[in-house]
Amino acid sequence: MRALVAGAAGVLGSHLCDRLRRDGIEVLGLDNFYTGRRQNIEHLEGDPGFTFVEHDITRPADAVVTGPLDIIFNMACPASPRAYQRDPLFTLETNYVGTRNLLELARENEAIILQASTSEVYGDPTIHPQVESYWGNANCFGARGCYEEGKRVAETLMLEYARRYGVRIKVVRIFNTYGPRMDLEDGRIISSFTVQALRGEPITVFGDGSQTRSFCYVDDLVDGLVKMAASEPSFTGPVNLGNPAEFTVLETARIIKEIIGSGSVNVFKPLPPDDPRKRKPDIGLAESRLGWQPRVPFEEGLLRTIEYFRDIIGCSSQGVRRDF
Ligand SMILES: NC(=O)c1ccc[n+]([C@@H]2O[C@H](COP(=O)([O-])OP(=O)(O)OC[C@H]3O[C@@H](n4cnc5c(N)ncnc54)[C@H](O)[C@@H]3O)[C@@H](O)[C@H]2O)c1
């Protein structure tokens, strides 16, 4: 088996590369380092089963990708609002042109292609929890449109390549995922709250903190990707992958502070436009078709993530609770 992981230097992509290598699969990693970092994959240097090419998927990949491929994982796209709003046209292009280039590669290689889609295709959902048959409530003319609509059109591209060319597609809709290797400055809830709590700085809560999120630990998510890749050919998805345990933003801040033993206070800022009120996956389809469920409890995953951030920013682990 030989896999291409586009977005290999990102959080999910790099953990996926680790898992595939552990499973004995040869991996070709590809990334343009837009948000990804070399440190995330440097431990794989010297592994004869891992090669890497620096490349932007908005350009055709056939010139840089040599040798046959069995499966392509398209993880390449900035994922945090701060990153995907930095250059909205690049985000759109990555999702349309980039996904299309990888679909062409899949077609040439007769490879399976798995698309990392997102819960953001549901926009600010009007049903709860979100089930795959829900068409969503996204704003194509808003601040998050470049990502939401980009990901939606990428799903449509997958579908049309399957219809016209018989490309074997798999679409997963990923809900908030966290874990080691997250960027300190990406502005996402887990990374921001953890870093602020470790530094003893105020915790920035947007809105009144009553909005909910569900958080999946990265190892669980990667396990879902691998199960989806190996699922029966007729199962294309889209399938939700996420942890249905739901927390308000205020509860999340409290739990993180409790684990760290931090006395940080909360400060409240206005809610960004189009921020979803509720997020929780219905994972019935993943359970029945993939036999997949997240296993890592929130506190356990947080502890592993906190340890990672603590090492990076050089804080003492004094006070960090390990009794979960
Ligand atoms: N982490 C989450 O909570 C989450 C939730 C839903 C969906 N996703 C999706 O999963 C994928 C991975 O997310 P992540 O959290 O690891 O994000 P990330 O930003 O850590 O990783 C994305 C990687 O893709 C690379 N990349 C971006 N544009 C590229 C391009 N045009 N060409 C080549 N490489 C490019 C980046 O440099 C980075 O290494 C993304 O597609 C994201 O939309 C993630």
Side-chain angles (χ1 to χ4, degrees):
M1 276 286 279
R2 185 163 186 256
L4 171 70
V5 177
V11 181
L12 305 190
S14 63
H15 285 277
L16 175 63
C17 290
D18 291 346
R19 166 67 190 268
L20 295 173
R21 288 303 300 130
R22 280 200 300 277
D23 291 352
I25 293 167
E26 195 185 328
V27 175
L28 170 59
L30 178 157
D31 207 292
N32 69 347
F33 297 112
Y34 186 74
T35 50
R37 286 170 301 160
R38 276 190 198 277
Q39 300 97 286
N40 290 345
I41 45 169
E42 67 189 0
H43 59 283
L44 290 167
E45 272 170 27
D47 173 350
F50 180 81
T51 43
F52 179 80
V53 57
E54 186 170 343
H55 180 74
D56 190 316
I57 61 165
T58 61
R59 287 182 285 117
D62 45 357
V64 292
V65 175
T66 49
L69 294 170
D70 300 294
I71 181 154
I72 298 171
F73 292 90
N74 182 16
M75 314 302 295
C77 179
S80 70
R82 191 173 286 174
Y84 68 63
Q85 287 167 356
R86 193 161 73 223
D87 186 348
L89 293 180
F90 168 79
T91 302
L92 281 165
E93 193 139 313
T94 292
N95 278 298
Y96 184 73
V97 181
T99 304
R100 191 157 188 181
N101 283 335
L102 294 183
L103 276 160
E104 284 296 332
L105 201 60
R107 193 177 151 207
E108 282 158 28
N109 283 273
E110 294 180 13
I112 296 170
I113 178 165
L114 182 147
Q115 166 67 7
S117 189
T118 169
S119 57
E120 301 234 3
V121 298
Y122 300 123
D124 187 6
T126 54
I127 67 155
H128 198 68
Q130 290 81 58
V131 67
E132 291 86 348
S133 53
Y134 176 54
W135 291 354
N137 178 38
N139 177 8
C140 65
F141 214 67
R144 302 166 83 101
C146 62
Y147 185 72
E148 290 173 354
E149 297 302 329
K151 288 289 186 178
R152 287 168 71 96
V153 81
E155 284 198 16
T156 311
L157 266 175
M158 297 283 286
L159 175 67
E160 296 305 341
Y161 264 70
R163 279 187 179 150
R164 182 172 302 187
Y165 304 116
V167 173
R168 293 176 292 158
I169 61 160
K170 307 272 178 196
V171 177
V172 296
R173 292 182 178 159
I174 301 170
F175 285 64
N176 283 15
T177 299
Y178 69 100
R181 302 183 192 156
M182 284 181 88
D183 181 358
L184 239 70
E185 310 287 344
D186 71 4
R188 286 197 266 189
I189 293 176
I190 301 289
S191 42
S192 301
F193 287 6
T194 302
V195 171
Q196 289 169 335
L198 281 169
R199 289 179 172 154
E201 294 169 357
I203 305 277
T204 313
V205 175
F206 291 102
D208 63 5
S210 64
Q211 66 274 31
T212 69
R213 296 290 184 269
S214 50
F215 303 103
C216 187
Y217 187 65
V218 63
D219 289 356
D220 282 334
L221 193 278
V222 165
D223 190 50
L225 298 178
V226 169
K227 285 197 162 78
M228 182 59 173
S231 64
E232 56 179 284
S234 64
F235 186 54
T236 61
V239 61
N240 290 338
L241 292 180
N243 192 324
E246 188 181 9
F247 299 89
T248 66
V249 168
L250 280 181
E251 279 167 345
T252 309
R254 178 182 55 72
I255 296 168
I256 290 175
K257 285 192 279 185
E258 229 171 76
I259 297 177
I260 293 174
S262 164
S264 292
V265 294
N266 297 336
V267 292
F268 294 85
K269 291 205 172 158
L271 209 56
D274 298 336
D275 198 62
R277 292 286 318 153
K278 278 171 173 277
R279 267 291 157 70
K280 172 179 165 147
D282 180 317
I283 59 163
L285 190 61
E287 284 173 326
S288 65
R289 298 301 295 268
L290 307 178
W292 177 84
Q293 270 188 341
R295 303 205 175 280
V296 180
F298 191 34
E299 286 81 359
E300 175 60 38
L302 277 178
L303 190 54
R304 295 184 205 171
T305 310
I306 288 166
E307 292 294 344
Y308 168 79
F309 280 122
R310 190 180 57 73
D311 286 347
I312 294 231
I313 63 180
C315 287
S316 138
S317 59
Q318 208 182 3
V320 174
R321 288 180 62 190
R322 291 188 174 71
D323 52 347
F324 293 99

